[in-house]
Amino acid sequence: WQLGPDGKSKRPMRIAMADDATFAFAGLAERWLAPDGEPLDTCTIVTTDANGLIRALHERMPVIVPPAAYARWLDPAIEDPADLVAPYPAEAMRFHPVSTRVNAVRNDDASLIEPLPALSSESPTPEPDPAPPPPAKPRQSALF
């Protein structure tokens, strides 16, 4: 979603790989026992700072795992996949505005992802990605 020129409305965007390839988000899943003793499955999508393209929409983005790293991300024996928790290269991605029809689950057809004309204030030209910061101490319990 991108904030509209009025500063209040939001416009839906389709975010994709530049070559339209399928992509995968980094996620974590866990099964644990709830206080009542019942098993509870939980999951989350891992996020990171936005790359230069996505920064035009939001300051964070999901971590996108490159296909060559799928097995590594999913291998529970890997103790430190932290290098994969980084913004995906902006030049490998694109986005464009789509219809607000995406707001209703009853709409389920290919026209939902067709590009709409950009507003004059929209600029999908990526900013340069900043140099990665030095590793910081986690603010919360470490995930890895």
Side-chain angles (χ1 to χ4, degrees):
W1 296 89
Q2 185 175 48
L3 198 58
D6 62 4
K8 297 177 184 176
S9 63
K10 291 185 178 180
R11 190 166 193 201
M13 298 286 168
R14 177 181 184 228
I15 300 170
M17 293 294 110
D19 63 1
D20 278 328
T22 302
F23 59 99
F25 292 156
L28 300 172
E30 184 175 20
R31 173 172 280 176
W32 55 284
L33 291 180
D36 65 2
E38 290 294 316
L40 183 63
D41 294 316
T42 59
C43 61
T44 189
I45 293 175
V46 181
T47 63
T48 188
D49 294 329
N51 64 26
L53 179 71
I54 302 304
R55 199 172 304 116
L57 304 175
H58 200 273
E59 73 273 0
R60 310 272 305 151
M61 67 182 284
V63 170
I64 297 173
V65 179
Y70 288 173
R72 184 166 164 240
W73 179 262
L74 294 171
D75 186 346
I78 302 296
E79 292 187 19
D80 190 13
D83 61 299
L84 296 175
V85 181
Y88 202 77
E91 63 275 4
M93 301 178 72
R94 64 183 174 84
F95 70 81
H96 61 258
V98 295
S99 170
T100 55
R101 292 180 59 242
V102 300
N103 292 332
V105 296
R106 70 180 170 274
N107 299 324
D108 186 14
D109 60 81
S111 72
L112 295 175
I113 62 172
E114 290 177 3
L116 293 181
L119 299 175
S120 60
S121 62
E122 294 171 351
S123 174
T125 305
E127 299 173 17
D129 284 335
K137 292 188 176 193
R139 292 179 292 192
Q140 300 176 354
S141 299
L143 295 174
F144 307 103

